[in-house]
Amino acid sequence: MSSSISQSPAAENDSAGETTAKPPGDARWHVAFGVILIGALAAFIPWTLGYVGDTSAVVLLILVVLLGVFMAFTIGGNDVANSFGTSVGAGTLSMKQALLVAAVFEVSGAIIAGGEVTDTVKSGIVELDTISHSPMDFVFIMMSALVGAAAWLLFATRMGWPVSTTHSIVGGIVGAALCIGFTTGSGGFDMVQWSEIWKIVISWVLSPLLGGIVAFILFGLIKRHILRYNEEADAAMRELKLKRIEHRRRERSAFERLSEIQQIAYTNAMARDSATVRTADYDRDELESTYYRDLHDIEKQAQDVESHRAIEVWVPLLAAFGSMIIGSMLLVKGLKNLELNVSPLVTALMLGMVGATVWMAVFIFAKSMKKYDLDRTTFLLFSWMQVFTASAFAFSHGSNDIANALGPFAAVLDVLRTGRVGEEAVIPTPVMITFGIGLIAGLWFIGRRVIATVGSGLTRMHPSSGFAAELAAAAVVMSASSLGLPVSSTHILIGAVLGVGLVNKAANWSLMRPIALAWVVTLPAAALIGAVAVWILRVVFG
């Protein structure tokens, strides 16, 4: 990709370095987040003991809290880092800025739209009715699921592999449930809903394929109609700039060869021309000096280039389209737990208003950027749009995927509090806040390697390509959720990043191979760890 489309090498090196290295100044941030996380745990554990009310299982309850927060920590380091990888890799956000955006939108999504209740059995993957008469076995299964998922996520994160947290928690539940089923004789492989497992297998291929196709088409259009046009227009404007320089040099040389009387006459003609060009709708024939006539021709050529046409025409339309896609994703996925019950007509009108508002705002902003060069204008506009999509993704993630940690934890709290296994469990606000803190701490402490993988490892990122990948992923997530297709948002975004890389002919397939293998291994690895964990828990606490 040419230099007019990509970042400067210095900027690229800076953004890449920030995702992998930890500057010395980060020590204060490490201490701050460590203190916040420890403080949150110190306040949350007594609250949990008071909420459950059963003081006979203090050790078990503290262990449950630690496992739940650890699960949120690893989700932050892998899933949230995956979501912000394109923004950090493109140089749109620094690591600290991504952290602040994630803190606001992830936690807000969990508290505002995370739902007050959660299903105690994850997605019906395993039939647990046969062991529901033993509440403690159910507790051990959920705890082991957290162990299996969190341990695998930690390993994958340290390797820089973005994997599905949903598949991890499902694997943990399957492994723990099968272990108890076989050891107690209460069930076997028939406990597993294998049709649901096949959906996960399908998602390994379907998710990245859909994300890659949509991103390939979207970024291909952006590159053809915006970036390439800007590149050609920028080259034309640079050529005209050289013409202006040459024009001034030539005129100065010609002026010096004139006699004194001719110089005075020519200077007076130029003064009159200077006043003429300030009037509206002047004609070239009104100009007396060759200096202003030739300059008029050059300026006419500059106007014919229409250097900012793509910025003023296509970018506002793209922003409006993107805002409607993001709005649809928020309504379908991000705010679904609020049960707004909005009619399709009202939804369409709301999205139309959002699109029109965004189009107008971006159009005005693009018009105001005419005095800047095209590279800077393009970078700034797509940076703003990428921050918007990343924020929406964070809100949607907080409202949905944090349930991977909340679900099993809330189920355990409910069983320890009531002594029975219920269909749903209440999620108190302190739980959401504490797990939100764990999520953000995980992003800061261990998320850099996944960010480096997504932001620069698979392909180099520019705000325009990052925006295309995020918007394509949002469109696929929204469409797949509406159609009920088995997809993973993590896999979709990775596919979208590769789709962008294919357009630029710069996809790193050697790095994708271990990531794809990790996707396949996720469920069985988490299942194996969950099985071992549940056996240990039953020996220690059973």
Side-chain angles (χ1 to χ4, degrees):
M1 192 163 56
S2 63
S3 59
S4 62
I5 293 177
S6 62
Q7 282 179 263
S8 65
E12 287 183 347
N13 292 335
D14 288 346
S15 64
E18 188 167 6
T19 61
T20 56
K22 294 183 179 181
D26 288 349
R28 294 181 181 178
W29 286 70
H30 296 335
V31 173
F33 275 102
V35 170
I36 292 172
L37 185 60
I38 293 172
L41 279 171
F44 185 61
I45 290 175
W47 176 90
T48 305
L49 294 173
Y51 178 77
V52 173
D54 183 6
T55 57
S56 62
V58 174
V59 175
L60 182 66
L61 196 54
I62 292 176
L63 181 59
V64 171
V65 171
L66 294 177
L67 289 177
V69 174
F70 179 50
M71 178 66 187
F73 184 86
T74 55
I75 290 176
N78 197 287
D79 221 9
V80 179
N82 175 53
S83 299
F84 282 93
T86 53
S87 299
V88 177
T92 301
L93 295 174
S94 66
M95 184 64 185
K96 296 182 179 69
Q97 289 169 335
L99 187 80
L100 295 176
V101 172
V104 173
F105 287 92
E106 289 276 354
V107 177
S108 296
I111 295 176
I112 296 173
E116 296 179 352
V117 297
T118 184
D119 294 334
T120 57
V121 181
K122 182 67 180 178
S123 304
I125 292 287
V126 181
E127 182 58 57
L128 296 177
D129 289 344
T130 56
I131 59 173
S132 61
H133 62 277
S134 177
M136 286 310 297
D137 278 344
F138 180 84
V139 167
F140 294 148
I141 289 174
M142 292 298 115
M143 291 177 65
S144 300
L146 292 174
V147 173
W152 171 249
L153 283 175
L154 181 63
F155 174 76
T157 302
R158 294 299 297 172
M159 298 300 294
W161 300 335
V163 298
S164 171
T165 56
T166 302
H167 295 177
S168 300
I169 200 71
V170 166
I173 291 175
V174 169
L178 287 177
C179 181
I180 285 187
F182 280 117
T183 54
T184 62
S186 58
F189 288 112
D190 57 326
M191 298 169 59
V192 180
Q193 303 295 320
W194 293 106
S195 61
E196 298 297 323
I197 299 297
W198 274 113
K199 289 181 180 179
I200 291 177
V201 174
I202 292 172
S203 76
W204 295 339
V205 177
L206 186 62
S207 297
L209 183 63
L210 290 176
I213 291 173
V214 175
F216 181 85
I217 295 172
L218 179 60
F219 186 59
L221 292 172
I222 290 174
K223 188 170 184 179
R224 183 180 306 117
H225 294 289
I226 299 176
L227 301 182
R228 192 164 291 154
Y229 179 90
N230 287 354
E231 182 181 28
E232 293 171 356
D234 194 46
M237 295 303 291
R238 285 199 301 269
E239 184 179 344
L240 289 173
K241 184 176 181 180
L242 294 176
K243 280 188 176 181
R244 290 190 187 95
I245 296 172
E246 175 61 23
H247 169 63
R248 286 195 296 269
R249 187 197 63 76
R250 187 175 59 250
E251 286 292 320
R252 184 183 299 111
S253 177
F255 182 81
E256 291 173 352
R257 291 196 298 270
L258 296 176
S259 64
E260 185 176 350
I261 296 176
Q262 288 175 321
Q263 287 181 349
I264 293 173
Y266 195 77
T267 301
N268 291 334
M270 289 181 64
R272 290 190 294 270
D273 286 347
S274 177
T276 301
V277 297
R278 291 191 181 94
T279 61
D281 300 326
Y282 73 92
D283 190 85
R284 183 183 185 279
D285 294 335
E286 298 177 44
L287 300 174
E288 302 177 44
S289 63
T290 57
Y291 177 85
Y292 274 100
R293 281 200 297 269
D294 291 347
L295 188 60
H296 172 86
D297 293 338
I298 295 174
E299 296 302 327
K300 181 65 169 58
Q301 292 176 40
Q303 291 176 10
D304 292 341
V305 171
E306 295 183 299
S307 60
H308 281 67
R309 184 173 69 85
I311 294 293
E312 295 176 5
V313 175
W314 292 113
V315 172
L317 289 175
L318 180 64
F321 171 73
S323 67
M324 295 173 71
I325 293 294
I326 293 296
S328 300
M329 184 191 72
L330 289 177
L331 290 174
V332 170
K333 185 174 171 68
L335 299 174
K336 68 178 182 180
N337 295 325
L338 296 182
E339 298 180 359
L340 299 176
N341 297 321
V342 180
S343 69
L345 177 60
V346 174
T347 299
L349 291 174
M350 290 171 59
L351 293 176
M353 288 189 294
V354 169
T357 303
V358 170
W359 173 84
M360 184 167 35
V362 175
F363 176 75
I364 294 172
F365 185 54
K367 292 280 283 186
S368 69
M369 297 290 290
K370 267 194 169 182
K371 60 183 178 180
Y372 296 105
D373 61 71
L374 281 173
D375 273 354
R376 178 172 173 77
T377 302
T378 304
F379 187 90
L380 288 175
L381 283 171
F382 277 104
S383 293
W384 277 106
M385 293 193 293
Q386 192 180 15
V387 169
F388 177 77
T389 53
S391 301
F393 248 113
F395 184 89
S396 179
H397 182 272
S399 66
N400 286 275
D401 293 347
I402 199 173
N404 291 321
L406 287 176
F409 179 79
V412 171
L413 280 192
D414 188 67
V415 171
L416 294 179
R417 185 166 172 259
T418 64
R420 61 181 181 82
V421 179
E423 290 296 322
E424 292 181 334
V426 176
I427 304 178
T429 301
V431 176
M432 294 185 183
I433 295 175
T434 304
F435 279 42
I437 292 173
L439 201 80
I440 304 307
L443 172 62
W444 174 254
F445 282 112
I446 63 174
R448 296 170 190 265
R449 296 191 181 186
V450 173
I451 285 178
T453 296
V454 178
S456 59
L458 291 172
T459 190
R460 298 300 305 178
M461 279 290 164
H462 178 276
S464 59
S465 56
F467 169 76
E470 291 175 4
L471 183 58
V476 173
V477 168
M478 183 268 298
S479 302
S481 298
S482 301
L483 297 174
L485 297 177
V487 294
S488 163
S489 58
T490 298
H491 299 176
I492 289 171
L493 185 56
I494 295 301
V497 170
L498 287 174
V500 165
L502 285 174
V503 174
N504 291 329
K505 299 179 181 178
N508 186 356
W509 294 106
S510 62
L511 178 58
M512 186 59 211
R513 292 190 194 99
I515 294 175
L517 180 61
W519 291 353
V520 175
V521 172
T522 291
L523 195 147
L528 180 61
I529 299 171
V532 174
V534 80
W535 181 81
I536 294 174
L537 286 172
R538 293 188 84 237
V539 170
V540 175
F541 295 101

